[in-house]
Every structure is written in C-alpha cells, then in structure tokens.
Amino acid sequence: MQWAVELEHATLPPYLCALYSLDPERNPDAAEAVAGVFVEEMLHLALAANLLNAVGGRPRLDAPEMLPPHPRRLPHGDPSLELSLLPFGDDALDMFLRLERPALPGAPAEGDGYETIGQFYEAIEDGLRGLCDRLGERNVFTGDPARQLHAGHFRHTAGRMIAVTDLASALAALEEIVEEGEGTSRGAVWDGDQDVHHPDRDEVAHYYRFQELRAGRRYRRGDTPRSGPTGEPFSVDLAGVRPMRRNPRLADHAPGSAIRTAQEEFDRTYCTLLHLLEQAFNGSPRLLAVAIGTMYKLKAQAEALMGMPDGEGTVAGPTFEYVPPEQRGWTAGDSPQRIAVLPDGPYLVYGRVPLRRKRKIVSGGGSALTWQTGEDLPTEDIYALCRCGHSRSKPFCDGTHARIGFDGTESADVRPYKELQHVHDGVNISAQRVGELCVHAAFCIGRTEPIAAMLADSGDSDVRSNIMGRIEHCPSGSYSYALRRGGETIEPDLPQAISVLEEEDGLASALWVTGGVPVHRADGRPLETRNRMTLCRCGHSAGKPLCDGTHRRIDFREEHAGTSRHPGTGRDRA
C-alpha cells in the first residue's frame, strides 16, 4: 500500500511541469486535459492513503525517497519506464501514454517490477482477497475509520473519494484508480464519470485523453480503442508552450543566482505540500484544504520560473528536489505543543492544543470586566487556523489565503519583552508595558481612569488589587506587573490553550495563546515564549503575526460559513 502511495505521488511532478508549461489562453483544451489528469492523480493518492490507513498503516510522503533526481523510474515498476520533467509536447505525451498504458487482456497481476499500473493494482487486489480469506476481514481492516478521507474532504473532481473500511470498499477504491487511468472494464475508452468541465460529455480515461491530445480530436460515443478518436477536432498550439529546460537541477546554477533562488523557494513550497498531505492522511484530514491551497502558490512560483531565460531558447523550471524540514524555516522547533506560521498561510497548531472560544464581558457603561470561556472547538491532531481573515470556515483555514494572494509578511519584533518594556512604579506594584503588543482590549483603561493614572493611588490596596486584576485580563500581556521594580513578573495561571476571542457587539478579535505555547515565525525565528500573547487573524495587523488591534478599526467579524465580509465595510458578500 505504501508502494501505491509512492507510485501515485511519482506521477505528480511530471504532470505539473507539463501543465505549468502550457499557456491556458492559447491551449485551453490541453491545459484542461492535463489539469484534469493531475487532479485525478491527487484523488488516486488520497485513495491509496485510505487503503493504507484501512489496514493500519501510516502513509509516508514527507521523505527524501519521495523526490529522487529526475529522470527517475516509477517506484518498484518496470525499469524501462522513466519519468522526466518535461514541457508539454510530443516527448511528454509519449511518457504519459507509456505511464497510463492499459494492461493487455489476460495480463498477469504484478507486484515488484510491474509493467503497467493496472497490473500492480490487480496484485494488491489479489493480496487483499487472499489475506481476507486467511485472516478474516476484521483482522485485515484494523485501521481507525476517523483517518479516512471522504467526499467532504475532496470536491475537485468527478471521481469518487471512497472511505475504505472493508474489502468491498477497498475493491471499489482500487477500481476507481484503475478505471480513471485505463478505462472501464479493461478496453473501454470511458472511465465511468461525467466530464467535470463539460457535464454533457462522458469522461475518457487518462490514457485516452492523451491520445486525444496526440490526435487533436475528441472521442465520441461509439469510438473504441481500435478506432481512435473520431469526434470534434481541436488544435494544440505548440508555440503556446513555455520551452522549459528538460530535467532542471539546482546544481545547474550557482548558489544565490536568481534562478536557483526561485527553484529553492519552489522546492520548499512543494515539500510543505508533502508535509501537509502526510498530516492530512495521518489523522488531520482538514489539512487537505490547506494543502490544496498551497498548490496555488506552487503554480505562481512555477510560472515565475518559466519566465526566466535558462540557456539558448529555454526557460527555467522547477526541480522537485527534497528540502529537509530543518531547512524550511517555518518547521523550526521541536516542542510537542507548538504553533508554526506558514509563509503567507495559516497557523499550524501541533500537539492537540485545546481550542476554545472566549467572549469579553463588559459593564452597562461599556467597561471591560472579564472574559467568559465558551465551548471547546473540535480539532484534529494538527489543525490550521486562518490568518488571512477570509476563510469561510473560521477560525479554521480553508485555503482561501492562496487564492486571494494573501501577503503574510511578518514584521513583529523578536526582541525579549524586557528589552522593550516601559516600567511605571506605584506603591508595592511595578507595572510593565510594551505598547507594540497592545490589542486595545481596554482592560487597562479601568472604570474611570487608565492604569497609568491609577498607579498614583496604588497605596490603597483596593486600587492596587484592581490594577492587578485588570493587568491579568490583558490578553496580549502588553501589560504585566511585579511587586517591585526588577522583581519577578507575576503572571496569571493560564492553561496551554488557544482562545478565539470575541469582543463587544460581536467584534472578532485575536487568537489568544496562553500557557507558554511556543510560536515560530515563517522564517523560523521564534517569538519569545510567554504565558500569553495574541496572534492576528484579520490579516491586517502591521506587526504580523502578532495582533495590533487593527481588527477594531476594520470592524472584523466572524461570519457564518457561506458569507464573506469585506474588511472595513461591514458588508456581506456571497
């Protein structure tokens, strides 16, 4: 089953290079066909992960062996089949037709060294049937059903996303993979689905889509593999293909050069995608939306590369080389409970840090009094929280940041609190403040006067106690206090948790991180680990990833799914 995961992943880089090289305006049919195959290969990868999870395995994707240098052989396949990174054209079509070639009638099931993908999956089917006969289905399908991806997680293709829990569903998943590649019933052109782009058409299997591109003509009802496509013609404009250099390598360019820097950035993004997919397949299926969003960024980076001349008549392209986690920046830190800021993306929360809601309680006159803890929100092993402010699944990320081109550039000061603080002394209390951390939650204002003024009366124990209480309610820890200047800072006893804050009148506020959960910026630099801090979730803070109170100025709201509010206007839009 892990071999199946490796096989399905191996097809992705070649398909992406061909797709990225196509100008969709000049080659709409070719771009649509290759994009459709790629999306279905993603579906096959997810189905392979479901199969592996169903028998108690753990899909592995974020590993060096997943990205050997190109050209490469198909994992455990016939060594005569090589996969290369090529622009769209005759050579790429030859490779794809060989890759998706249907098994001949009566061809035997083959495991290691398989000649066709269909024969490989037939060997898996035979193995599953044999195991179930010997051990019984319950002893074979021992995986946790909660780890299964289902149709609700994958909505980007006409293909079926099948949760695998027994032999029947496993066989259905295998059939889905083979039919989309080779066609139904071995020898049929069609894959059994409706064309996702053209619902009035039946969809042809991958092998026959590439034959359509080779012939410049579509299949129509009545056509067979022997007849070839006889339907409506279309043209492929090879002048509308970016001439990507074949099998590019990082070593082709000097460190620090523009092309190599862009290739390294692409590789970091692609390995981030592998990490997200691995986590989605291993207990955090909601991360699949974040992974799909990451592909928008990949596309932009690849198209930028293909705008860079690279030799005589060629342009640069992505190398798909593995980047170890410690070289990706945002993956820094090894604490089991931690928050990683993805570049221009969401907050990834590791270690099942509890997520809950808190609402600010105010007096009749509008003064901030306390926070009321609401319900805990259900989370997965690893979950992603929206940072751009536009997710339709707030507080969770749904990948929208990539589609809208969110700029998550971070500028928060990483110096320690003590280097930034201003100290104001009272009687038996010393108040410390870092103004840059203020989120304007207004607990420091007091009923009649701000803390800075109240310190003058702190000889009164009631006033001093009031000051302490208000400081302890400050979510960002902008204010803190000690009993004397230079003394130990006294912090409230707060659990390791993330609270989604709501202020007066339904105003959506920051993410309140408590209990010393470490936070690492996208560049890998850690923020000082503190008992409390607040992270921006409206997308507009000038001190990202920290909140600076801008959500108040733009009247940021957390809408119900299905609507999106334009920051600053308060208007809902579908």
Side-chain angles (χ1 to χ4, degrees):
M1 296 300 188
Q2 176 62 26
W3 289 6
V5 170
E6 295 169 13
L7 158 63
E8 297 301 341
H9 168 262
T11 68
L12 302 185
Y15 283 138
L16 282 177
C17 283
L19 177 61
Y20 294 150
S21 72
L22 284 162
D23 180 342
E25 297 297 324
R26 299 174 68 174
N27 283 296
D29 294 304
E32 184 180 280
V34 178
V37 170
F38 170 77
V39 169
E40 288 172 3
E41 293 297 344
M42 286 287 291
L43 173 69
H44 299 172
L45 176 62
L47 288 169
N50 274 0
L51 286 160
L52 179 52
N53 271 317
V55 296
R58 293 186 63 86
R60 181 170 165 80
L61 275 167
D62 188 359
E65 60 267 26
M66 301 300 289
L67 289 173
H70 288 84
R72 58 166 294 185
R73 61 177 287 194
L74 202 62
H76 304 281
D78 182 343
S80 68
L81 171 57
E82 279 194 337
L83 299 179
S84 290
L85 304 179
L86 306 174
F88 181 86
D90 287 338
D91 289 345
L93 285 175
D94 287 342
M95 177 176 62
F96 297 153
L97 286 165
R98 172 65 180 84
L99 174 65
E100 302 284 2
R101 186 178 66 187
L104 294 173
E110 294 179 333
D112 206 0
Y114 54 88
E115 187 175 1
T116 68
I117 292 174
Q119 291 169 274
F120 171 69
Y121 280 113
E122 188 168 344
I124 289 182
E125 178 179 336
D126 289 349
L128 283 174
R129 289 183 184 276
L131 284 172
C132 288
D133 286 344
R134 295 205 324 266
L135 305 175
E137 284 188 52
R138 289 187 179 181
N139 293 319
V140 174
F141 295 96
T142 59
D144 181 359
R147 296 164 69 88
Q148 292 290 312
L149 293 171
H150 53 72
H153 296 120
F154 205 100
R155 305 170 184 172
H156 303 272
T157 170
R160 293 183 299 151
M161 187 67 236
I162 300 166
V164 179
T165 55
D166 55 18
L167 181 60
S169 53
L171 298 181
L174 292 168
E175 182 180 50
E176 184 72 14
I177 294 172
V178 174
E179 286 185 351
E180 286 193 335
E182 300 184 6
T184 57
S185 304
R186 294 267 180 100
V189 169
W190 319 101
D191 71 5
D193 297 321
Q194 295 301 116
D195 189 313
V196 70
H197 298 292
H198 306 280
D200 57 317
R201 300 179 191 160
D202 292 323
E203 193 167 63
V204 298
H206 296 179
Y207 179 79
Y208 301 103
R209 276 183 240 179
F210 293 125
Q211 284 201 333
E212 287 181 326
L213 291 172
R214 171 62 54 81
R217 190 174 290 274
R218 295 191 184 280
Y219 278 94
R220 62 181 175 181
R221 274 296 168 193
D223 286 346
T224 65
R226 176 170 293 185
S227 73
T230 65
E232 61 184 283
F234 63 88
S235 62
V236 175
D237 180 4
L238 292 180
V241 177
R242 302 175 182 96
M244 187 192 88
R245 182 174 179 170
R246 300 167 67 99
N247 293 316
R249 301 273 185 93
L250 287 178
D252 295 339
H253 299 280
S257 63
I259 288 178
R260 179 156 176 172
T261 298
Q263 288 172 331
E264 289 170 340
E265 184 62 26
F266 179 95
D267 289 341
R268 281 193 292 272
T269 302
Y270 190 78
C271 289
T272 294
L273 171 66
L274 292 184
H275 177 80
L276 291 168
L277 288 172
E278 182 173 288
Q279 301 309 319
F281 296 156
N282 281 286
S284 303
R286 290 181 72 162
L287 289 182
L288 188 61
V290 188
I292 292 171
T294 303
M295 301 191 68
Y296 287 87
K297 187 172 184 179
L298 275 180
K299 179 181 179 182
Q301 291 174 336
E303 290 178 345
L305 271 168
M306 293 186 189
M308 298 179 176
D310 186 14
E312 292 188 12
T314 61
V315 296
T319 64
F320 291 94
E321 295 184 37
Y322 187 73
V323 180
E326 62 272 15
Q327 296 178 20
R328 297 178 203 165
W330 65 269
T331 54
D334 55 6
S335 173
Q337 287 78 37
R338 67 188 188 278
I339 299 171
V341 183
L342 280 185
D344 298 324
Y347 304 105
L348 278 190
V349 184
Y350 293 82
R352 282 197 170 273
V353 179
L355 181 68
R356 55 189 51 136
R357 293 190 181 276
K358 281 186 181 287
R359 183 169 62 91
K360 187 166 76 174
I361 304 300
V362 299
S363 69
S367 296
L369 298 177
T370 189
W371 295 102
Q372 180 184 53
T373 301
E375 78 278 13
D376 281 5
L377 298 174
T379 60
E380 298 171 341
D381 292 347
I382 301 171
Y383 57 93
L385 296 176
C386 175
R387 188 160 73 100
C388 72
H390 287 269
S391 170
R392 296 166 69 89
S393 303
K394 298 182 189 72
F396 298 103
C397 171
D398 68 354
T400 298
H401 59 276
R403 293 192 290 274
I404 65 173
F406 171 62
D407 181 359
T409 303
E410 297 157 287
S411 56
D413 200 323
V414 297
R415 287 180 293 169
Y417 183 93
K418 285 193 173 182
E419 288 186 20
L420 300 170
Q421 71 184 10
H422 298 276
V423 180
H424 307 276
D425 292 328
V427 178
N428 294 325
I429 185 170
S430 180
Q432 302 140 180
R433 184 171 185 266
V434 176
E436 296 88 338
L437 300 178
C438 181
V439 300
H440 307 292
F443 285 93
C444 60
I445 294 176
R447 289 188 178 88
T448 58
E449 56 185 348
I451 284 176
M454 294 171 68
L455 286 168
D457 298 320
S458 56
D460 183 326
S461 61
D462 288 340
V463 173
R464 189 164 61 251
S465 177
N466 191 2
I467 293 172
M468 293 175 178
R470 291 194 168 277
I471 288 177
E472 289 180 355
H473 281 88
C474 172
S476 68
S478 170
Y479 257 115
S480 63
Y481 72 91
L483 299 182
R484 55 181 174 79
R485 179 180 282 257
E488 180 183 357
T489 297
I490 298 174
E491 280 286 322
D493 185 13
L494 298 172
Q496 281 201 326
I498 300 173
S499 299
V500 182
L501 297 184
E502 179 185 320
E503 299 193 43
E504 64 275 11
D505 301 320
L507 178 71
S509 184
L511 296 170
W512 186 9
V513 181
T514 58
V517 178
V519 178
H520 282 81
R521 293 169 33 135
D523 60 11
R525 287 191 289 173
L527 297 178
E528 182 183 17
T529 299
R530 300 171 57 230
N531 187 42
R532 47 192 165 141
M533 70 171 68
T534 43
L535 300 178
C536 172
R537 70 184 188 106
C538 73
H540 290 267
S541 170
K544 298 182 185 72
L546 299 177
C547 173
D548 68 355
T550 300
H551 57 272
R552 302 189 70 87
R553 177 173 57 80
I554 66 172
D555 191 34
F556 181 60
R557 305 278 163 169
E558 184 174 302
E559 313 81 20
H560 295 293
T563 64
S564 173
R565 185 180 297 270
H566 189 276
T569 67
R571 293 193 302 269
D572 287 337
R573 58 186 181 181

